[in-house]
Amino acid sequence: MTNTAQSLPFRKMHGAGNDFVILDSRGRDRVTTPNLAAALGDRHRGVGFDQLAELHDAGNADLALDFWNSDGTMAGACGNATRCVASMVMDETGRDALTIRTARGLLAAERRNGRVWVNMGPPLTDWDKIPLSAPQDSLHLPLDGDPVGVGMGNPHCVFITHDAEKVALEEQGARVERDPLFPERTNVEFISLLGEDHLRMRVWERGTGVTLACGSGACAAAVAAVRRGLTGPRVVLDLDGGRLEADWRDDGVWLTGPVAEVFRAELTAEFLAGL
């Protein structure tokens, strides 16, 4: 990006407070680099986001998506950003169904009764698929707190607690993210049961930190709760930024929740030239 003299349009969106910068690179080469992602992710000197999503063309899908964390690393999956982009493209095209290519594979998005649902794919529970650093029972990971390991295209470590509100989220999240058990680091969720098929969830995201919501994390939390016998396959989750719903079906874990576009703007040529 250092040799460009042009500005770069973007959108700011969020899903339940999980906020994103959206770059639309359909019809052109990808523009995101680690430096650009980290600079944009800076909430004081850039725009600020939990993740960046870049759209690009896909010959075997309606569009493709890459995801970046605010520290400049790539994220393999991002459920709320996928829902935001799906909603945006559906509004543009008038369509109620899309296919989206991500690092996870081909995802389906549908608009039903005004709500956008995205199939985040089947959960991964084999130790080497999550991945873990050595063979382990993913239903009972060998860490204090007896968490559950789940892969959703990115790794998750889900702790089932009596009261998620009382968890020292920043301290425990930062520590578990970089535990040697997770060779690619991990997202960390803390959940507690509020009622029938109803969970409270708080989350620490790999490469970002504490966030108000996490779509892939909500899917992982629902899978963990089902596997531990706490809930049925369709789960409502209350997060710091709002409410998400996950539905574990035969074809994968479907996710829905609120979507909002905040503003549209452009990065200046001066900002881009300084990267």
Side-chain angles (χ1 to χ4, degrees):
M1 298 304 301
T2 56
N3 61 355
T4 186
Q6 298 182 348
S7 59
L8 183 64
F10 70 93
R11 300 189 193 203
K12 186 72 182 290
M13 302 185 75
H14 78 85
N18 196 190
D19 67 329
F20 314 104
V21 161
I22 311 294
L23 296 175
D24 189 349
S25 292
R26 290 173 293 179
R28 70 181 183 201
D29 292 337
R30 295 177 176 92
V31 298
T32 308
T33 64
N35 283 345
L36 176 61
L40 275 178
D42 188 322
R43 294 190 183 273
H44 301 285
R45 298 177 177 87
V47 178
F49 58 76
D50 292 332
Q51 277 82 33
L52 180 153
E54 183 174 11
L55 291 73
H56 54 94
D57 296 314
N60 59 351
D62 293 312
L63 64 129
L65 280 175
D66 294 332
F67 305 110
W68 296 78
N69 296 314
S70 60
D71 67 354
T73 59
M74 293 196 77
C78 187
N80 284 326
T82 304
R83 292 191 306 103
C84 285
V85 170
S87 179
M88 180 187 84
V89 175
M90 287 176 183
D91 289 344
E92 291 174 351
T93 62
R95 296 176 57 182
D96 290 326
L98 298 170
T99 54
I100 302 173
R101 174 68 63 183
T102 72
R104 177 74 205 276
L106 193 63
L107 307 182
E110 300 176 359
R111 193 191 298 275
R112 308 180 208 145
N113 300 318
R115 304 175 73 191
V116 174
W117 289 80
V118 172
N119 184 352
M120 295 298 292
L124 306 173
T125 57
D126 292 342
W127 72 272
D128 56 335
K129 302 296 184 184
I130 293 173
L132 305 176
S133 58
Q136 303 286 348
D137 176 6
S138 64
L139 191 56
H140 297 279
L141 296 181
L143 298 175
D144 290 344
D146 188 30
V148 181
V150 182
M152 290 301 309
N154 53 1
H156 294 268
C157 182
V158 183
F159 290 84
I160 299 168
T161 69
H162 177 69
D163 187 353
E165 301 290 350
K166 296 181 179 179
V167 170
L169 183 57
E170 291 193 19
E171 176 186 346
Q172 294 192 43
R175 174 175 50 80
V176 175
E177 176 190 352
R178 297 181 178 275
D179 190 279
L181 183 61
F182 303 99
E184 298 178 1
R185 297 184 293 163
T186 188
N187 300 281
V188 188
E189 291 81 27
F190 298 89
I191 62 173
S192 52
L193 190 65
L194 295 179
E196 184 177 359
D197 299 333
H198 189 183
L199 299 173
R200 174 72 169 104
M201 172 179 147
R202 299 175 69 203
V203 60
W204 171 278
E205 291 199 57
R206 175 184 64 168
T208 297
V210 175
T211 60
L212 297 181
C214 176
S216 63
C219 294
V223 169
V226 173
R227 294 185 70 204
R228 286 282 184 92
L230 296 179
T231 69
R234 187 160 180 163
V235 180
V236 171
L237 302 102
D238 289 346
L239 295 98
D240 290 341
R243 176 169 288 183
L244 299 177
E245 188 173 339
D247 189 4
W248 185 6
R249 304 180 185 178
D250 291 340
D251 61 347
V253 186
W254 288 79
L255 175 72
T256 194
V259 169
E261 180 176 323
V262 182
F263 61 85
R264 304 181 193 187
E266 61 182 33
L267 304 172
T268 66
E270 291 79 10
F271 175 84
L272 297 171
L275 299 178

